[in-house]
Amino acid sequence: MRGWWREITGLVLPVACGGCGRPRTELCEECSAALSAVPRRVRPDPEPAGLPPVHAAAPYENAVRAMLLAHKERGALGLAGALGGALAGAVRAGTGQSSGAGPLLLVPVPSARRATAARGHDPARRIALAAAAELRRGGTAARVLAVLRQRRAVADQAGLGARERQVNLAGALEVAAGGRRLLAGGRVVLVDDLLTTGASLTEAARAVRAAESTVPGAATVLRAAVVSASPSAFEINRN
């Protein structure tokens, strides 16, 4: 119900740009352009063992940081399209040179149940759905498989260091019943809204591999300042 209420109020109340606060527009041209950077391959430092190759669309700063937080924490659900477009670019960068049969299967990292309940929506899943739609518009077969589930409660990640996050999330995820068969139907790409230490994506990759599926790559909308970035194959091929 909370999600429906947010969508209804978004239609009738005055809006401001989710990036810079400019009135009467949910996303101005300048802030939209900030999400159009060339995606890069990113690596946390330290990089956890088992983390698949990750591509991210933009750094977690300034207007794009504000956009992500507005969508995630303040219910600016209309920003999902722009954020999903950026995620689609990161997915393309990571899969453009890969081979394999079947569609791209975007597997979002699930939020904690209490966080989803408090927000009234699952941000990563909503952005993943927008990304899949953008990929299909560009001619790439893609769909979202929300097959990961939390098998136990985890502590709030805020304030935890890299090692603490890995311990907190170790063994926390599993593939839901019936998910193994679905994962066999294409190329898996783990997706999330933000890469910080890589602990969440590493645990997601472990859970998918435990279901006897390969994980060729992952993609996120934004990358935190603690990760290093290098030109992606997609970027190199464009130059």
Side-chain angles (χ1 to χ4, degrees), residues 150-175:
Q150 285 197 329
R151 60 190 301 181
R152 62 170 177 80
V154 297
D156 189 344
Q157 296 275 82
L160 298 183
R163 178 57 183 164
E164 294 169 320
R165 290 186 178 216
Q166 290 176 35
V167 172
N168 182 43
L169 293 174
L173 298 179
E174 64 180 355
V175 172

Side-chain angles (χ1 to χ4, degrees), residues 53-66:
V54 184
H55 287 75
Y60 184 60
E61 61 187 16
N62 304 326
V64 292
R65 177 181 183 274

